[in-house]
Amino acid sequence: MLFRNSVIASAALALVATMVEAHSWADCVDWRFTDPSKPGWRATDGKCYGWARQYPINSGVSFGGLDSFSPSRHYQQSTSDFLPCSDHRHGVEPGADETRQNPISKAYGGRFGAMAQATPGQKMCVRWPAKNHAKKDEPNNPVMINMPNTILNKDPNQSGFTSANIAKLNYKDCNQIAGDTDRTPCGGCFNVPDGLATGTYVIQWRWMLNQDEYYTSCWDLQVTSKTDGGATTSRLSNSTSIFADLAEDDDN
């Protein structure tokens, strides 16, 4: 009985440690409110229409649980190279593979979520789980949204992303769930830069928990013309057929 109790206690401590050490990621990169006058991040407040690269929308894991999913969605950069998008091999915490695919559309559709789509100047919202870091006694370091304003044939390095910052979001903008600070939903909104040419751009979500302890998520954004009458309709579908004819990219 003593042995059994010790095992249970050890398992409980391990679970607590996992919860404490859990870190965040971009859960949805195109979150739209059901009622824009009452914005919120709970499932009842809106719906997701765009995800990060190779995001497993059919995993069956509830919101905020993909840190215990294989591969885990949270990726901590290594200070040796600050690889901007996880390749599932490098980093203090390797994370899931969010490298740029060739063609880009390979990272979306089927078992993965749809690619986000927007027009220049459009407001977009991103959602993430608090993972116990939106409490009053936690520092409130902002989420950085980094987006180069040119169409690239490969992802930039971290310096390239950092120099292309377009927004700083409040990490603690959350709908607090009593008794569950781990899966409390949070989010923020930013404007896609105006004047962009039609094409596919890369965006990085980057958050610093502690000094030089950074977590990132990467996704592609299909920017369409404001005069494209079908843009709004196509964004409402999880289908990626509109991206099937994207030009092949150079190998990274």
Side-chain angles (χ1 to χ4, degrees):
M1 178 64 72
L2 180 60
F3 174 76
R4 179 173 178 274
N5 289 340
S6 297
V7 170
I8 293 174
S10 298
L13 288 173
L15 177 60
V16 170
T18 300
M19 291 178 61
V20 171
E21 295 302 319
H23 307 117
S24 199
W25 61 90
D27 169 76
C28 172
V29 302
D30 184 7
W31 177 259
R32 282 183 273 164
F33 306 120
T34 302
D35 182 353
S37 68
K38 299 177 181 179
W41 310 108
R42 297 161 296 195
T44 54
D45 295 323
K47 188 175 180 180
C48 188
Y49 291 95
W51 286 262
R53 291 170 173 169
Q54 304 189 91
Y55 200 91
I57 59 169
N58 298 319
S59 66
V61 177
S62 60
F63 174 77
L66 288 178
D67 51 348
S68 58
F69 181 79
S70 181
S72 169
R73 291 309 297 190
H74 61 84
Y75 161 58
Q76 181 184 346
Q77 294 178 307
S78 169
T79 56
S80 64
D81 56 17
F82 285 109
L83 188 71
C85 304
S86 171
D87 63 0
H88 191 43
R89 298 191 306 272
H90 298 88
V92 178
E93 297 173 20
D97 184 4
E98 291 188 344
T99 53
R100 178 181 172 124
Q101 298 299 295
N102 186 5
I104 293 173
S105 56
K106 285 178 63 177
Y108 304 95
R111 62 194 179 97
F112 301 134
M115 186 192 301
Q117 185 178 346
T119 56
Q122 180 180 315
K123 179 179 179 180
M124 298 197 78
C125 300
V126 185
R127 187 174 76 152
W128 57 85
K131 305 312 298 179
N132 299 307
H133 296 299
K135 297 180 291 187
K136 291 182 179 179
D137 59 348
E138 285 278 343
N140 191 19
N141 297 323
V143 168
M144 312 299 283
I145 301 297
N146 302 321
M147 178 183 176
N149 63 2
T150 56
I151 298 171
L152 305 172
N153 61 13
K154 64 178 181 179
D155 289 342
N157 59 22
Q158 186 56 56
S159 295
F161 271 118
T162 301
S163 64
N165 177 254
I166 63 169
K168 297 179 181 179
L169 309 183
N170 176 12
Y171 184 83
K172 293 187 179 183
D173 181 2
C174 309
N175 294 117
Q176 297 288 348
I177 298 177
D180 190 355
T181 57
D182 180 57
R183 302 199 184 194
T184 282
C186 312
C189 301
F190 65 94
N191 290 324
V192 175
D194 219 339
L196 296 178
T198 298
T200 308
Y201 297 77
V202 62
I203 303 180
Q204 182 195 48
W205 177 101
R206 193 179 193 224
W207 172 61
M208 184 183 79
L209 175 57
N210 298 303
Q211 186 66 38
D212 286 334
E213 183 182 350
Y214 290 94
Y215 298 86
T216 76
S217 291
C218 295
W219 66 95
D220 303 288
L221 175 66
Q222 180 71 8
V223 174
T224 62
S225 170
K226 290 183 178 180
T227 59
D228 180 3
T232 301
T233 301
S234 63
R235 290 184 68 230
L236 297 178
S237 172
N238 286 345
S239 170
T240 58
S241 60
I242 59 174
F243 307 117
D245 296 325
L246 287 173
E248 291 287 320
D249 305 302
D250 295 335
D251 289 340
N252 293 343

